[in-house]
Amino acid sequence: MPKLEAVAFDVVETLMSLEEVPGRLAERGLPAELFDPWFARAVRDGVALAAAGGYREFDEIAAAALRDVTAAEVDQATVDHVLAGWDRFPAHDDVRPALEELRAAGVRVVGLTTGSAETISGFFAHNGLSEHVEAVLSCADVGIWKPAPGAYRYAVDRLGLEASQVALVAAHAWDCHGAARAGLRTGWVSRLEGRYNPTFDPADVTADDLPTVVRELLA
């Protein structure tokens, strides 16, 4: 197996904590527990568009999903309130040590996101992580959401590497599955799903925290 040269991290939920979002829903008079069905709907719709060969940007899909799960009882001000300021959300505590380990090992790091490159770049800057990240690559650049193969191939091509030299690290088993099908190595962190869904191809590495995922990928 060739040497690992780069890691592409999924960002939202894998690196970025969304712990503030339920409170934002509550501030606009919506149930905080609406967060899970809303965000799951948004991800489902983005993935469904990709499967059918279509594309919409994250904010558009998220806004439509919020209206769906509330039977359209959401005004634009509420949508704007919920979707604003994601560039200032906190990183999970284990992100910095994982990125520092990769930097010490001479492995390149990029973010690969369905969100906007501007928002995610702001997130890295806000959390003091920009020096560890070479670039933020957005699915908007190629007009297709993960887990479509083209999203991962775009990252590999931008890095100028072979797929086998790149690992995708995510908290979503479906994301790891898509990357594996595109020829990348994969690492899954359990913080979101708890259990790796056996419906999907297994990840090369699974662990409860990002530094362990990184160390096992490097090994």
Side-chain angles (χ1 to χ4, degrees):
M1 182 178 291
K3 179 180 178 291
L4 180 66
E5 298 288 348
V7 173
F9 282 93
D10 171 64
V11 180
V12 178
E13 295 189 299
T14 300
L15 305 184
M16 176 193 292
S17 170
L18 300 185
E19 62 186 11
E20 295 181 19
V21 181
R24 290 187 175 201
L25 291 167
E27 288 165 3
R28 299 298 298 188
L30 296 170
E33 56 269 23
L34 193 68
F35 170 73
D36 284 338
W38 163 58
F39 202 72
R41 176 75 66 95
V43 171
R44 183 205 70 178
D45 291 352
V47 170
L49 279 170
Y55 176 79
R56 293 288 189 277
E57 291 188 355
F58 173 82
D59 281 5
E60 182 180 354
I61 291 174
L66 187 56
R67 292 189 170 101
D68 284 347
V69 298
T70 59
E73 296 176 2
V74 175
D75 59 19
Q76 189 60 46
T78 296
V79 171
D80 292 344
H81 181 75
V82 173
L83 294 179
W86 286 41
D87 56 341
R88 297 187 297 276
F89 280 0
H92 291 293
D93 291 342
D94 60 352
V95 174
R96 182 180 300 277
L99 297 184
E100 289 175 345
E101 289 206 33
L102 288 169
R103 188 178 188 185
V107 174
R108 299 161 67 188
V109 171
V110 297
L112 179 60
T113 180
T114 56
S116 77
E118 181 180 4
T119 296
I120 300 307
S121 295
F123 159 76
F124 284 124
H126 176 73
N127 287 279
L129 300 171
S130 297
E131 65 179 319
H132 301 296
V133 182
E134 177 178 322
V136 174
L137 309 179
S138 172
C139 292
D141 298 334
V142 284
I144 191 167
W145 271 46
K146 300 180 290 177
Y152 307 103
R153 292 176 186 146
Y154 164 62
V156 170
D157 290 345
R158 279 288 304 269
L159 287 162
L161 299 169
E162 299 296 324
S164 59
Q165 296 174 296
V166 181
L168 183 282
V169 173
H172 310 94
W174 58 262
D175 203 355
C176 292
H177 174 88
R181 289 299 177 102
L184 285 73
R185 305 182 204 184
T186 54
W188 176 80
V189 63
S190 67
R191 71 163 103 260
L192 177 67
E193 297 170 336
R195 166 182 171 271
Y196 194 93
N197 188 334
T199 300
F200 301 115
D201 291 347
D204 295 308
V205 168
T206 65
D208 293 334
D209 61 85
L210 286 175
T212 303
V213 170
V214 162
R215 283 192 291 270
E216 293 192 16
L217 284 170
L218 290 172

